Amino acid sequence: MHDIANQYRESSENEKYNRVADQFRFPYWDPLMPRKPVERGVWTSRFGIPRIFEAENVMVRRPEDPKRLVSMKNPLYQFEFPDPSELGQKPPIDWATLINEARMPNSARLHTIRTPGRSGNSDHSYLASELRLQASTSSTTLWQLFADKRTYNEFSNTGWRRGSGNPTSSVESWHDNLHGLVGSGQGGSGHMALQPVAAFDPIFWMHHCNVDRLTALYQALYPDVWIVPQRIPNITFVSPSGVVEGETTPLLPFRKAAGNEGDVFWNSKELADWTQVGFDVPGVSKLNPEQTRNLQRYIYRTYYWITVESEPQTNLGYPKRLNGVEALQGRPSAVPDVVQGAVLPQMMLQSSEQQVISNPGHEENDVTGKAMQTVTQDINFKEETSNKSVLPEGATKDRESQKMWTWNANIRVEKFALTQTFTIHIFLGSPNDSSPETWMTAPNQVGFTTVFANNDEAHCANCQTQRDQKLLYADVVPLTTALVAYLKSNEAEQGPPQENRVLESLEPEHVVPFLKERLEWRVVDAASVPQSTRAVADAGLRIMVTDRLYNLPSEEHPLGEYEESRRHPECTNEKLGGLHDGHEF
């Protein structure tokens, strides 16, 4: 960044851009951040994709003439692959195989594509629709990650062993699901859905920065939870099967230094404090137990309202209007709100007044700063968690209770059940089997899990070994928000038709027969082509329903508290791939 800044020769410009370079950090993309005001009373309309990812061109000030704005291709819109003839060697990507076997559009060899449309190009409007309709389920998954203290292994990855208890969601499965959502469309597979080429999409890096952020937030919430040495059952890139791995295991290929006796690699113990490598995380800069309560409140303010499809209880500074953002619109005084007859969509752009931190400097990057205090002050949990104002009757255990029944579809399957990435969609009622490419946005689709897998032996021998060892993958799809929509007492304008709102309450006596009748699932590949449920069931697919009582957020427990889960195999009896009575999970 300083190399670029130093290309500006005029002293004031040089000083300005070097000052910016000092503070520059790679940004993160939070798909649960509202992007625009609510439209026509539709709760989901506030979510979507940042405008900067949709703009094909941006306006910049180049060093040779910084007073003048010029247009250039937006590097965040797509990556354009070089002409193979210019590489001087065989292209490292076998495009013919990917296009044929993974059903990628032919244009995929030219540039990256997100949620491919039927034309074969990126369909950002459909991606925005996916983000809107998955917001509450995705946020609930994230909420469970933060509110439910677990071991670091359970939080961090999708691996599951027989006899280790009910499958849980993890930051890895949350990561995988975004790959599936961005990479799967109505016109084939996009790059983000396929491991060999996912990192070519510029959105990949912002997504991974957010995963780093979520991991750091979890570390700060639970500083006593960390890596426990264990004997690994499966081969990894670093170690053969059976080796004990822990916090000092080298993290290949991330080199720390090169020496006469070989390369030195980073390890997890060294990276527990992310500031050691220059990272900054809004909300917290180091593991400090004294910050935990404020951090809990920050997470409550940021995400809880989405899980119950309510309204944010405070102004977090988003969405921000784009009027005057010269990179997208040119000079503020010269460009109106309406460009070429279309109103520009809104997006969130963080500024020093709107970030949790006031700047990326470590000394001010903590939850006790001014902005964080604005976020967390004056929380009235009694008022905000009132089931009268947020939850319809029947959602809590009784009218006065601050306990709520929550429901999940717990999923276990062999990671390499198919030859590539695949997605399991969960429905209430039968889906439209003639249009699998629209399942991600189907009204009765509750949620999904994407198994982000790679079976290319030439590029991932490790994957082949894990496939031979039948590595199991675990995730959870929350059902609660969808079930609330079916309560008789739910009078929300959006949701299922009133005649379908037949649930008396979220008590097991009402939910179990409801799910027994209506719960269904389907499997598709990254191109949204249906796959045999029988084949996936034979590869270890087991879906079971569990309930958990949840103590709603309070002053003492800002994230609430989950109680023990209970299984309900009667919901999935006689369903292909479901857990049956008497089966071990």
Side-chain angles (χ1 to χ4, degrees):
M1 293 301 297
H2 284 286
D3 288 343
I4 297 173
N6 285 326
Q7 294 179 29
Y8 292 83
R9 299 302 182 185
E10 200 275 322
S11 60
S12 62
E13 295 289 328
N14 183 280
E15 181 181 349
K16 177 176 68 175
Y17 285 110
N18 270 289
R19 189 166 59 248
V20 172
D22 284 339
Q23 300 186 28
F24 179 82
R25 298 294 185 274
F26 216 71
Y28 65 88
W29 169 47
D30 184 352
L32 298 172
M33 186 178 288
R35 302 294 164 182
K36 55 185 178 179
V38 172
E39 296 177 349
R40 298 183 299 278
V42 179
W43 183 85
T44 58
S45 64
R46 71 186 82 218
F47 300 99
I49 185 171
R51 171 66 174 148
I52 194 64
F53 290 131
E54 298 178 294
E56 294 188 47
N57 298 284
V58 290
M59 303 297 289
V60 299
R61 297 181 184 274
R62 294 190 179 278
E64 58 270 18
D65 188 4
K67 304 298 183 184
R68 178 170 168 261
L69 281 167
V70 296
S71 178
M72 64 170 284
K73 289 184 178 180
N74 179 9
L76 298 181
Y77 177 71
Q78 64 186 22
F79 174 75
E80 297 183 359
F81 294 98
D83 188 326
S85 63
E86 298 176 358
L87 295 176
Q89 59 184 13
K90 182 180 178 181
I93 302 170
D94 184 356
W95 287 114
T97 299
L98 280 176
I99 289 172
N100 179 46
E101 295 183 0
R103 300 181 178 88
M104 298 188 80
N106 286 321
S107 55
R109 68 176 74 222
L110 304 177
H111 55 76
T112 53
I113 302 171
R114 300 171 191 145
T115 51
R118 291 184 173 88
S119 66
N121 295 316
S122 294
D123 187 346
H124 285 104
S125 62
Y126 188 72
L127 174 55
S129 296
E130 291 180 327
L131 290 167
R132 293 185 190 109
L133 295 176
Q134 298 296 334
S136 61
T137 299
S138 182
S139 184
T140 302
T141 301
L142 193 58
W143 186 261
Q144 290 180 355
L145 280 176
F146 286 140
D148 191 15
K149 185 177 181 179
R150 58 189 75 180
T151 68
Y152 190 79
N153 285 342
E154 290 172 331
F155 165 79
S156 64
N157 67 83
T158 59
W160 186 85
R161 304 183 194 180
R162 288 178 172 85
S164 62
N166 295 341
T168 62
S169 56
S170 64
V171 73
E172 183 181 15
S173 63
W174 198 86
H175 151 273
D176 289 0
N177 290 342
L178 262 292
H179 271 275
L181 188 144
V182 175
S184 300
Q186 301 182 80
S189 301
H191 294 74
M192 274 285 281
L194 303 173
Q195 281 195 9
V197 292
F200 286 110
D201 190 331
I203 207 171
F204 170 98
W205 302 97
M206 280 64 166
H207 170 45
H208 276 248
C209 282
N210 191 47
V211 172
D212 290 344
R213 164 182 165 264
L214 298 177
T215 302
L217 290 176
Y218 188 84
Q219 286 179 250
L221 281 173
Y222 305 108
D224 59 328
V225 176
W226 190 231
I227 297 169
V228 176
Q230 66 173 357
R231 194 173 302 280
I232 58 172
N234 305 102
I235 188 173
T236 71
F237 288 104
V238 180
S239 308
S241 177
V243 169
V244 175
E245 289 190 341
E247 62 177 6
T248 59
T249 300
L251 298 173
L252 275 66
F254 301 105
R255 289 176 177 81
K256 185 178 182 181
N260 295 331
E261 298 182 3
D263 294 336
V264 179
F265 297 92
W266 290 97
N267 63 47
S268 299
K269 182 177 182 179
E270 295 168 322
L271 295 175
D273 180 357
W274 51 85
T275 64
Q276 294 301 306
V277 287
F279 291 173
D280 282 290
V281 178
V284 63
S285 64
K286 56 186 176 180
L287 305 184
N288 184 349
E290 296 179 2
Q291 297 181 356
T292 301
R293 181 55 58 88
N294 277 342
L295 183 56
Q296 289 173 336
R297 292 177 173 222
Y298 163 65
I299 292 172
Y300 172 86
R301 287 289 201 185
T302 305
Y303 295 115
Y304 182 72
W305 64 276
I306 310 175
T307 70
V308 292
E309 296 190 351
S310 181
E311 297 298 319
Q313 300 295 327
T314 189
N315 180 13
L316 292 178
Y318 51 73
K320 180 178 174 65
R321 293 188 63 82
L322 292 181
N323 301 339
V325 178
E326 65 179 29
L328 294 173
Q329 299 188 13
R331 292 186 183 278
S333 59
V335 182
D337 292 350
V338 178
V339 177
Q340 296 181 350
V343 178
L344 287 174
Q346 310 302 308
M347 69 173 278
M348 161 61 181
L349 290 176
Q350 292 180 328
S351 71
S352 60
E353 295 178 354
Q354 294 163 333
Q355 288 178 305
V356 173
I357 56 174
S358 57
N359 69 53
H362 300 315
E363 71 280 359
E364 298 186 30
N365 188 13
D366 60 60
V367 296
T368 60
K370 179 180 178 181
M372 177 57 78
Q373 290 172 4
T374 301
V375 171
T376 60
Q377 67 186 0
D378 299 329
I379 296 181
N380 186 333
F381 282 97
K382 183 177 180 181
E383 177 183 340
E384 291 183 9
T385 59
S386 168
N387 56 28
K388 295 180 181 178
S389 61
V390 177
L391 301 169
E393 184 177 346
T396 53
K397 194 173 181 182
D398 54 63
R399 290 186 63 86
E400 303 303 323
S401 176
Q402 289 300 302
K403 291 178 180 283
M404 179 181 182
W405 288 102
T406 65
W407 294 83
N408 289 318
N410 302 65
I411 301 171
R412 185 208 76 186
V413 67
E414 288 180 20
K415 182 172 183 177
F416 301 97
L418 299 179
T419 58
Q420 57 163 298
T421 295
F422 62 96
T423 293
I424 302 169
H425 291 278
I426 305 295
F427 300 93
L428 290 179
S430 297
N432 181 356
D433 286 320
S434 64
S435 300
E437 71 280 3
T438 65
W439 284 348
M440 193 68 78
T441 57
N444 65 331
Q445 195 253 33
V446 177
F448 70 99
T449 183
T450 290
V451 181
F452 192 45
N454 177 17
N455 268 350
D456 184 353
E457 187 171 3
H459 294 94
C460 186
N462 180 54
C463 299
Q464 289 295 312
T465 301
Q466 292 181 347
R467 181 182 186 180
D468 294 341
Q469 294 176 341
K470 299 185 183 300
L471 179 69
L472 291 172
Y473 185 103
D475 195 14
V476 167
V477 174
L479 305 176
T480 310
T481 303
L483 292 171
V484 168
Y486 283 88
L487 287 171
K488 282 185 177 180
S489 59
N490 193 337
E491 298 179 355
E493 292 185 16
Q494 286 79 44
Q498 282 293 336
E499 61 269 21
N500 291 343
R501 302 183 188 189
V502 297
L503 267 178
E504 295 285 349
S505 76
L506 296 188
E507 296 273 355
E509 63 180 290
H510 298 129
V511 172
V512 167
F514 181 86
L515 292 178
K516 186 175 181 179
E517 177 184 353
R518 292 172 173 81
L519 187 66
E520 297 192 28
W521 49 86
R522 300 288 191 276
V523 183
V524 296
D525 65 13
S528 300
V529 175
Q531 302 297 298
S532 167
T533 303
R534 166 63 68 185
V536 181
D538 290 344
L541 175 63
R542 291 293 181 273
I543 296 177
M544 73 171 176
V545 171
T546 59
D547 75 50
R548 296 184 77 180
L549 271 175
Y550 174 60
N551 297 280
L552 294 171
S554 64
E555 183 67 36
E556 184 179 359
H557 299 287
L559 300 184
E561 290 183 297
Y562 283 98
E563 299 184 10
E564 290 298 315
S565 62
R566 301 182 305 174
R567 298 181 179 184
H568 294 279
E570 61 270 34
C571 293
T572 50
N573 263 338
E574 302 178 5
K575 295 184 180 182
L576 188 59
L579 181 70
H580 300 173
D581 284 324
H583 281 187
E584 291 187 6
F585 197 77

